Amino acid sequence: MLFIKYSRILIRKSSQVHSKFNNYVTTKNLLRRLSSRKIEFKYLPEPLYGPKWDEIDMAKKELAELTGGMNMDQLQQTLEPHSHKTNSKQLTLPCQSNEKYLQKAPEEDNSGSLLPTYNLAAYVNKSDTLQQFLKLGVDLSHIERKKGLPEFVLRLSFEDDVKPYLLFLKDQNVPAERLGEFITKNPLIFKVNLDDLQTRVNYLDAKRFSKAQIERILTSNPYWLMFSTRRIDCRLGYFQKEFRLAGADVRVLASKLPKLITYNMGHIQKATFSIREEMGFDKDEIKCLLLAKPRLWILKPDDLVERFAYVHQEMNLSHQFILKVPQVLTSREFRLRERHEFLKKLGRAQYDPKKDLYISPKSLIEGSNYYFVRNIAKSDMETFELFLKTR
């Protein structure tokens, strides 16, 4: 009995080893046939032994360095809207560990009268920084809505804390008329060391981004500079490997929609899953969609699937045809439904370019209702409005 038992164990082990060897040989032969692809955006290789790079841990470390030791809960408490209760007796600064922001202002500034407030307009006459912000076009009301930011802005010296950053942005060719919008969206830029900002710009230059691309990235997405070079490189590397992009494709994608690179990665992965699994696009088609209309990846996946279902099933547009006019997936479903059904009632819902009376699906999402009715549907507004009431 013992002989039979041990024999069975030996047979089972040998079969497992034989199976693993076959898998290894098959995988090795498969890898030999795959064409090699150059990966340009990989800041550091992941360690073979020990912990791998974790973007969440990197973000936490950068958050602590940026905010003087604050954790995520403290930062959320600082930046949350004023709907939560606050302590009106204490002036909270997001940078309390930084001594230069705790220096007392000269007595002529009457800093002792600066009480916690959500209305920066009350301090415009007392603060040269706020006056300069208004000249630049900064929307102070937007800053007021974030807890802690008004107090932080009031303690900035324009000459010492703001002007060097404006000169830095000017050196990166950010238009002067866009500086106000930049500060409005990201006033925390003044907490980042200038050397770190320059390093992040140098990284883009080293990765062969053109001056025009760098300008567009910084102008369109002020939050880009809040990400370290390692995090940006990991993000760009993700897009390159996940969607099989060439280096030039990555640069075009990053400059076309910079917001996508710094967007929530969980959301991007859900959108990719919806486009691949629920909408049925293959890898090559997904790559074409990403480069043609990257905005699809920051839309709500559920809304995106609903729009695709209507376009594909009701309007009978194939996957290949949608690749030619991906704009139809960015329009709200009710707008597509209204205009398609109106064309259908008129007998003009013909989207095949090989047939007569062809109407481009792109024209269904462009222009006002008046333009659509008069130039696309060849009808009048009275008929269209009556259709909307009776549909």
Side-chain angles (χ1 to χ4, degrees):
M1 293 299 293
L2 290 174
F3 175 76
I4 297 175
K5 180 178 179 181
Y6 287 118
S7 298
R8 290 176 179 175
I9 294 175
L10 289 174
I11 292 172
R12 189 184 305 115
K13 292 293 184 180
S14 62
S15 63
Q16 291 177 355
V17 172
H18 186 267
S19 176
K20 291 182 178 179
F21 177 77
N22 289 338
N23 291 338
Y24 169 77
V25 173
T26 303
T27 304
K28 186 175 181 180
N29 292 335
L30 178 61
L31 291 175
R32 286 176 178 175
R33 294 196 299 266
L34 291 177
S35 59
S36 60
R37 178 177 295 275
K38 182 181 179 181
I39 301 298
E40 295 187 25
F41 299 92
K42 189 62 181 174
Y43 184 75
L44 286 175
E46 292 185 349
L48 296 178
Y49 307 100
K52 296 183 179 297
W53 293 118
D54 189 339
E55 186 171 351
I56 296 178
D57 291 338
M58 287 193 294
K60 288 181 179 179
K61 292 179 181 179
E62 293 172 18
L63 176 65
E65 294 175 359
L66 182 64
T67 59
M70 295 174 64
N71 58 31
M72 184 61 68
D73 293 335
Q74 292 172 329
L75 181 64
Q76 289 178 347
Q77 184 179 1
T78 300
L79 299 181
E80 67 182 355
H82 295 306
S83 57
H84 294 75
K85 293 182 179 180
T86 58
N87 185 359
S88 60
K89 295 183 179 180
Q90 184 178 359
L91 187 62
T92 304
L93 291 178
C95 53
Q96 288 181 345
S97 63
N98 194 332
E99 295 181 357
K100 79 172 184 178
Y101 292 110
L102 296 179
Q103 294 176 355
K104 294 184 179 180
E107 294 184 1
E108 59 267 24
D109 291 340
N110 197 19
S111 60
S113 63
L114 296 180
L115 300 176
T117 180
Y118 304 135
N119 184 8
L120 289 176
Y123 296 95
V124 170
N125 292 333
K126 303 177 182 179
S127 172
D128 177 63
T129 300
L130 294 184
Q131 294 174 13
Q132 297 296 333
F133 277 178
L134 290 177
K135 292 179 181 179
L136 291 171
V138 177
D139 185 359
L140 298 181
S141 64
H142 185 272
I143 297 177
E144 291 171 356
R145 291 195 289 268
K146 302 296 183 179
K147 180 183 175 183
L149 287 186
E151 293 89 337
F152 168 66
V153 169
L154 283 173
R155 280 161 173 72
L156 292 176
S157 167
F158 184 79
E159 290 294 329
D160 298 333
D161 304 323
V162 177
K163 192 173 181 179
Y165 290 83
L166 298 181
L167 295 176
F168 167 79
L169 294 175
K170 181 182 178 182
D171 292 339
Q172 312 311 320
N173 298 319
V174 176
E177 61 272 14
R178 301 291 298 273
L179 291 176
E181 179 184 354
F182 189 103
I183 298 173
T184 299
K185 292 182 178 179
N186 186 21
L188 290 178
I189 190 69
F190 301 117
K191 290 180 65 64
V192 185
N193 188 281
L194 278 172
D195 291 336
D196 292 337
L197 296 181
Q198 187 61 56
T199 299
R200 294 164 191 180
V201 172
N202 293 343
Y203 164 81
L204 295 176
D205 185 62
K207 291 299 181 179
R208 295 185 295 170
F209 283 82
S210 67
K211 295 296 183 182
Q213 288 175 331
I214 295 176
E215 173 191 342
R216 175 169 172 77
I217 288 172
L218 301 185
T219 304
S220 302
N221 184 9
Y223 296 105
W224 183 288
L225 288 174
M226 305 300 287
F227 284 67
S228 68
T229 54
R230 178 173 291 157
R231 290 185 69 195
I232 288 294
D233 193 81
C234 289
R235 293 293 185 96
L236 295 177
Y238 165 80
F239 282 98
Q240 183 176 26
K241 292 188 293 184
E242 177 70 18
F243 302 100
R244 301 186 299 174
L245 303 178
D249 294 332
V250 176
R251 288 185 282 271
V252 170
L253 176 65
S255 59
K256 190 171 187 178
L257 188 63
K259 182 179 180 180
L260 178 65
I261 307 303
T262 60
Y263 209 69
N264 180 273
M265 288 300 297
H267 181 98
I268 293 174
Q269 292 169 351
K270 289 179 181 178
T272 303
F273 176 85
S274 296
I275 294 173
R276 181 179 62 246
E277 303 297 337
E278 299 182 80
M279 296 165 60
F281 288 97
D282 61 31
K283 291 183 178 180
D284 292 332
E285 292 171 340
I286 291 175
K287 177 180 176 180
C288 293
L289 270 181
L290 178 68
L291 295 177
K293 208 65 181 176
R295 182 168 171 262
L296 297 177
W297 268 257
I298 64 176
L299 300 176
K300 292 183 179 179
D302 292 341
D303 293 344
L304 188 59
V305 172
E306 289 180 1
R307 295 170 191 175
F308 169 80
Y310 186 82
V311 167
H312 184 58
Q313 298 173 7
E314 298 296 330
M315 298 175 61
N316 297 319
L317 301 185
S318 66
H319 287 77
Q320 291 297 325
F321 194 87
I322 293 175
L323 292 179
K324 299 178 181 178
V325 284
Q327 297 88 342
V328 296
L329 297 179
T330 63
S331 177
R332 295 180 181 179
E333 183 190 349
F334 81 89
R335 192 183 191 192
L336 281 171
R337 187 182 298 274
E338 286 180 352
R339 297 188 175 186
H340 168 68
E341 291 181 356
F342 184 64
L343 289 175
K344 190 175 180 179
K345 182 179 180 179
L346 298 176
R348 296 181 57 84
Q350 206 289 95
Y351 308 117
D352 188 347
K354 298 179 181 180
K355 298 180 181 180
D356 296 334
L357 302 178
Y358 164 72
I359 291 181
S360 172
K362 186 178 178 181
S363 62
L364 271 66
I365 64 174
E366 294 179 341
S368 61
N369 283 339
Y370 179 82
Y371 177 85
F372 166 75
V373 170
R374 298 292 296 177
N375 297 278
I376 307 302
K378 307 296 182 183
S379 183
D380 56 82
M381 287 300 298
E382 183 178 356
T383 304
F384 182 65
E385 291 173 355
L386 180 63
F387 163 78
L388 295 180
K389 293 178 182 179
T390 58
R391 61 191 287 265

